[in-house]
Amino acid sequence: MSDRREQTTNAIPIMRAVVLAILLSSQTSWAFQPPTPISHHRPHGIITQLNVKPSKKSKSKSGGGFGSSSGGFGSKKSKSLDSAPADPSKVRSVSGYTGSGTKVLANAANNFDRIRKLYGKDGTTDVYIRSPLNDESTFWFVGKVIRMIEAGDAAADAERVGTVYPTEEEAILSQKRLIFEYSKNQLRPQNMGGKYAQNLELWSAPGDSEMDVVQNKVTLVRITGSSRDLRDGFNVKDVGYNPEIYVGDERGKGGLRVI
């Protein structure tokens, strides 16, 4: 019995990588190499009395989402709360046409894979979304971001494009539009899309801490702000995003979320 459970657990990361590759290849002709699956056990649980606290670095009262209320990436109805045009060197944004987000998602995932090999867990941050208009008490796990960090490794540091090392907040804010768009249109539209798409919130936890979150050992921190908060020396090529992928029953019942 235990051998069967172990085989099933080991198969989940592979299934997620395959699903991500199919999702992207079915909507775009651009080449994509799926990110290397992260080999740690991800719980599928719900907890109560979750520890959360607001970020003291907040410069915005809204963490609202953007994009279509239905359909795929980059619908013509897409709207951003950031009125200023996105700087492509700082922000991974989705253009105003259907399917435009797939190439951006592929770039983000490939970047995650590359930087993860350099820094592993140390450069990783877990990302959650709260959808207040749907359920104020639930935080959905939507993937991981990674960033270049100062680790004293000359070979790794040589790959940094920007003049500064990204902070955790910058790794999330620079990819906020992509994370929201993917999460509400592809991952969990029934909880984040349509009438629930406004006022979505981003929350963070230490990298690879899903088990600790489920056991209420870590505190989620709200991330607010916009691309205007990114420093001059920041470059989006120094961060990446590995999206959560649902397989099997998770597509209907949902994956990891905490209450």
Side-chain angles (χ1 to χ4, degrees):
M1 182 69 179
S2 61
D3 291 341
R4 185 180 301 173
R5 184 181 298 111
E6 181 178 356
Q7 291 174 1
T8 301
T9 301
N10 292 337
I12 289 177
I14 298 175
M15 293 174 64
R16 294 183 188 285
V18 171
V19 172
L20 178 57
I22 293 174
L23 170 65
L24 293 170
S25 63
S26 65
Q27 300 184 53
T28 179
S29 59
W30 290 297
F32 172 70
Q33 297 178 352
T36 301
I38 300 173
S39 58
H40 65 278
H41 297 290
R42 187 176 70 77
H44 298 261
I46 303 175
I47 66 171
T48 57
Q49 297 181 341
L50 176 68
N51 287 327
V52 297
K53 64 180 181 181
S55 171
K56 295 181 179 180
K57 298 182 179 180
S58 172
K59 295 185 179 181
S60 170
K61 295 183 179 180
S62 174
F66 77 103
S68 167
S69 60
S70 62
F73 287 166
S75 165
K76 292 182 179 180
K77 296 181 180 180
S78 294
K79 294 181 180 180
S80 169
L81 295 181
D82 297 339
S83 57
D87 182 345
S89 70
K90 290 188 175 184
V91 176
R92 286 197 169 95
S93 59
V94 179
S95 302
Y97 63 93
T98 300
S100 64
T102 53
K103 182 178 181 180
V104 182
L105 183 63
N107 289 338
N110 287 333
N111 236 32
F112 181 96
D113 186 39
R114 175 180 63 84
I115 300 174
R116 177 83 182 192
K117 291 177 181 178
L118 297 175
Y119 301 107
K121 176 181 176 181
D122 292 341
T124 305
T125 301
D126 291 353
V127 183
Y128 294 78
I129 285 181
R130 186 170 79 110
S131 180
L133 296 182
N134 174 249
D135 187 343
E136 293 184 347
S137 64
T138 300
F139 296 75
W140 294 89
F141 175 74
V142 296
K144 299 170 181 285
V145 297
I146 199 163
R147 59 195 173 95
M148 302 283 289
I149 60 175
E150 192 170 5
D153 185 333
D157 293 346
E159 294 196 24
R160 179 164 51 91
V161 177
T163 59
V164 298
Y165 288 94
T167 65
E168 286 188 336
E169 290 83 0
E170 287 176 326
I172 295 175
L173 291 177
S174 61
Q175 303 177 99
K176 179 179 75 171
R177 299 180 180 183
L178 177 61
I179 295 172
F180 277 148
E181 186 79 356
Y182 170 76
S183 298
K184 72 182 185 179
N185 288 322
Q186 300 291 337
L187 186 65
R188 204 66 189 162
Q190 60 268 59
N191 300 101
M192 304 178 198
K195 62 183 180 181
Y196 304 126
Q198 297 300 315
N199 302 322
L200 297 178
E201 299 174 358
L202 285 168
W203 294 74
S204 70
D208 301 355
S209 66
E210 295 97 321
M211 184 62 72
D212 288 337
V213 170
V214 167
Q215 296 175 353
N216 207 17
K217 294 180 179 179
V218 299
T219 300
L220 297 186
V221 179
R222 185 176 177 186
I223 303 296
T224 60
S226 70
S227 59
R228 293 187 293 271
D229 301 318
L230 302 174
R231 292 171 294 170
D232 290 340
F234 172 83
N235 193 292
V236 74
K237 291 182 179 179
D238 294 330
V239 301
Y241 171 53
N242 186 52
E244 167 71 322
I245 298 292
Y246 287 162
V247 296
D249 291 343
E250 291 179 333
R251 295 188 181 96
K253 299 179 180 179
L256 174 63
R257 71 272 195 190
V258 291
I259 296 176

